[in-house]
Amino acid sequence: MQNVQRIVLVDFGAQYTQLIARRVREANVFCEVVSYLTPLSEILDKKPVGIILSGGPASVLDADAPHIDPAIYEQGIPVLGICYGMQLTAYTLGGTVERAAQREYGRIPVDFDVSSPLFAGMKAQSVAWMSHTFHVTHAPEGFTSIAHSENCAFCAMANPEKRIYAVQFHPEVTHSEEGQKVIANFLYNVCGCTGDWTMSTFIDNAIASIREQVGPNGRVMLGLSGGVDSSVAAALISRAIGERLTCVYVDHGFMRKNETESVREVFTKQFPVNLVIVDARERFLTKLAGVSDPETKRKLIGGEFVYCFADEAKKLEGVEFLAQGTIYPDVIESGSVKGSAVIKSHHNVGGLPADVRAKFIGGLVEPLRMLFKDEVRRVGEELGMPHDMVWRQPFPGPGLAIRIIGDVTPEKVAIVQDADAIWREEIDKLPMAQRPSQYFAALTNMRSVGVMGDERTYDYAIALRAVTTTDFMTAEVTILPTETITTAANRIVNEVKNINRVMFDYTTKPPATIEFE
């Protein structure tokens, strides 16, 4: 990203590393994430105005704990350590880190030294989100405590002379009442940022980057699902290279009801591009026959997607690049950073198989890879895309196959298509402000006894899901009108064959994921 101030975020494998980056970007400062394995020289080559050290799952006292070049603290560049980043800073610079007598987890009242530039304009006490087993018991030389709780003397520490700050709590999560102020204070009060990062800046840089990667004559094929991410990627790449982009929509048979027809309408009339529609329903159903394991499903579908694209690329002269609508939640849930957990595999993460890579010799074009869903939508709006397209319901690449618990059959696909269509119809009757961020029906693998028409039934149960979120990293259950849920449930039981029970999922993310598989 050229011509903008930059914060480098060093990732130690935390699940919410990119959430920190998102908070930085919300403050209109560009943030780039790098692995803790990145050499210091490479970090310095990026000319950061500040460095943030993320949290992580390890203890700094572990023999194999991730570390960083101690010289990072001697460059005169402001540093902010968060959670593991604080413990690492203390440990590296001569302080003491010990196992806490009482672990702190959740919302904890913290007393702040509001005379510190890190906490300027904040309340003297507010709630912060803690999640740690180890903590700093003695600060390094030159550091003082600037925040404390009942059980933690060093909720934050600072060496103002060297512009090194660290916090034990997580300012990036919404549970920390004034967390965003902490991040903004670091950016503006400590690093001297000017706030030169906007979505229009991103678009300009992304277009320039696409043109540089593809070159003046390169041709790109994009895997278009019809969802928000791939649609915005199509618009962005189209803006960069025009007719040299071809979009391939693969109907794998696990689409929502009437989805293929809707995609054809949008991308041939409302937002015309070079569009190829591939009917691969039989191919994918054959591939998944008898498969019940969620990870196996995802990987089989992902692999088959790539081979479908490769088959189509053979028919398109001169195509050297494969484009995808990959966004960052896909990346981190797939465990792309060393030390982070694999939550679930995403078909568009992890590179290309060797035999397919030989066809797409230019590699992958992924202009949205570092953005969250809400940022992708802002890009779409900035590009002038139709409102309905930008704000349509998210839909996973594997489609309804991961909304069917257990093995996938044509009959089960039809059941969930019909149930999902009814659920979406009822929610869409609500005012826009009341609608969830994502809502769908899933077919459970549970069968139960019911009574219909005075006769015993033994059929499947449908689970309804409705969540509210901004970044899709965390999600709350949407409280919907009872009438909406009961009307949908009654319609599903009456109108969808082989369903005699409907349930509503009240689980947040975490501990659940938004999708069932």
Side-chain angles (χ1 to χ4, degrees), residues 169-234:
F169 58 92
H170 289 270
E172 71 274 19
V173 301
T174 56
H175 305 296
S176 291
E177 287 181 347
E178 298 192 280
Q180 188 61 18
K181 282 188 179 179
V182 175
I183 292 173
N185 282 340
F186 176 70
L187 299 175
Y188 290 94
N189 295 346
V190 180
C191 301
C193 294
T194 59
D196 59 359
W197 167 248
T198 64
M199 284 300 100
S200 60
T201 304
F202 168 80
I203 290 170
D204 291 342
N205 280 280
I207 288 173
S209 179
I210 293 166
R211 288 172 176 167
E212 180 180 358
Q213 180 183 0
V214 174
N217 300 309
R219 303 191 68 84
V220 178
M221 189 179 79
L222 180 137
L224 179 68
S225 69
V228 176
D229 306 328
S230 61
S231 297
V232 172

Side-chain angles (χ1 to χ4, degrees), residues 81 154 169 171 235 277 319 324 340 350 408 440 448 495 497:
F154 290 92
F169 58 92
I277 294 180
V319 170
Q324 299 183 142
S340 61
V408 179
F440 59 88
S448 65
E495 297 176 29
K497 292 181 179 179

Side-chain angles (χ1 to χ4, degrees), residues 91-374:
Y91 182 87
T92 302
L93 297 180
T96 303
V97 177
E98 297 178 337
R99 179 181 290 272
Q102 181 175 336
R103 181 188 177 194
E104 286 188 312
Y105 180 82
R107 301 172 187 265
I108 304 294
V110 175
D111 294 307
F112 295 98
D113 178 359
V114 295
S115 68
S116 168
L118 192 65
F119 302 136
M122 291 173 53
K123 295 180 291 187
Q125 186 184 83
S126 65
V127 170
W129 183 263
M130 294 284 192
S131 179
H132 66 97
T133 302
F134 295 84
H135 62 187
V136 176
T137 54
H138 293 90
E141 184 178 351
F143 285 78
T144 58
S145 173
I146 55 173
H148 66 275
S149 68
E150 183 178 350
N151 298 310
C152 183
F154 290 92
C155 288
M157 64 181 190
N159 184 330
E161 182 179 347
K162 290 191 173 182
R163 296 193 293 173
I164 302 174
Y165 295 81
V167 296
Q168 182 58 63
F169 58 92
H170 289 270
E172 71 274 19
V173 301
T174 56
H175 305 296
S176 291
E177 287 181 347
E178 298 192 280
Q180 188 61 18
K181 282 188 179 179
V182 175
I183 292 173
N185 282 340
F186 176 70
L187 299 175
Y188 290 94
N189 295 346
V190 180
C191 301
C193 294
T194 59
D196 59 359
W197 167 248
T198 64
M199 284 300 100
S200 60
T201 304
F202 168 80
I203 290 170
D204 291 342
N205 280 280
I207 288 173
S209 179
I210 293 166
R211 288 172 176 167
E212 180 180 358
Q213 180 183 0
V214 174
N217 300 309
R219 303 191 68 84
V220 178
M221 189 179 79
L222 180 137
L224 179 68
S225 69
V228 176
D229 306 328
S230 61
S231 297
V232 172
L236 193 57
I237 297 170
S238 178
R239 177 76 64 89
I241 64 172
E243 291 294 314
R244 289 185 284 138
L245 169 68
T246 297
C247 296
V248 175
Y249 170 86
V250 175
D251 182 352
H252 51 23
F254 314 132
M255 296 301 188
R256 288 174 289 203
K257 194 170 186 177
N258 301 322
E259 185 84 2
T260 299
E261 292 75 11
S262 174
V263 168
R264 181 182 285 109
E265 172 74 17
V266 168
F267 288 99
T268 58
K269 296 181 179 179
Q270 294 183 42
F271 191 68
V273 297
N274 294 327
L275 177 65
V276 176
I277 294 180
V278 180
D279 184 350
R281 289 174 290 181
E282 185 174 343
R283 175 174 178 169
F284 277 85
L285 281 166
T286 301
K287 195 77 175 180
L288 261 65
V291 176
S292 297
D293 178 69
E295 273 295 287
T296 304
K297 282 186 197 176
R298 284 178 169 273
K299 289 176 179 177
L300 286 174
I301 293 171
E304 204 62 24
F305 254 124
V306 173
Y307 287 114
C308 280
F309 294 142
D311 290 344
E312 291 305 310
K314 295 174 184 176
K315 307 173 187 176
L316 300 172
E317 185 177 349
V319 170
E320 298 177 346
F321 298 87
L322 176 64
Q324 299 183 142
T326 308
I327 63 173
Y328 203 77
D330 302 339
V331 177
I332 57 177
E333 286 188 337
S334 297
S336 67
V337 177
K338 182 178 179 181
S340 61
V342 177
I343 308 302
K344 53 189 178 184
S345 298
H346 289 263
H347 72 283
N348 52 349
V349 178
L352 301 176
D355 53 344
V356 177
R357 195 182 310 127
K359 169 57 185 174
F360 297 108
I361 58 175
L364 290 172
V365 178
E366 298 177 308
L368 308 177
R369 188 179 178 89
M370 296 302 290
L371 298 186
F372 281 84
K373 182 76 71 176
D374 58 319

Side-chain angles (χ1 to χ4, degrees), residues 416-429:
V416 77
Q417 280 178 334
D418 290 341
D420 180 71
I422 291 171
W423 180 227
R424 289 187 289 117
E425 282 174 16
E426 293 304 322
I427 288 186
D428 289 346
K429 294 175 183 177

Side-chain angles (χ1 to χ4, degrees), residues 458-506:
Y458 187 63
D459 280 326
Y460 288 105
I462 280 285
L464 303 179
R465 187 85 161 123
V467 297
T468 298
T469 179
T470 55
D471 51 36
F472 288 80
M473 291 302 301
T474 61
E476 299 291 334
V477 176
T478 307
I479 305 302
L480 295 168
T482 302
E483 182 181 357
T484 299
I485 298 175
T486 55
T487 300
N490 288 334
R491 285 191 59 196
I492 289 170
V493 170
N494 288 324
E495 297 176 29
V496 182
K497 292 181 179 179
N498 303 118
I499 297 296
N500 67 357
R501 192 177 298 269
V502 177
M503 302 178 290
F504 188 84
D505 183 357
Y506 278 96

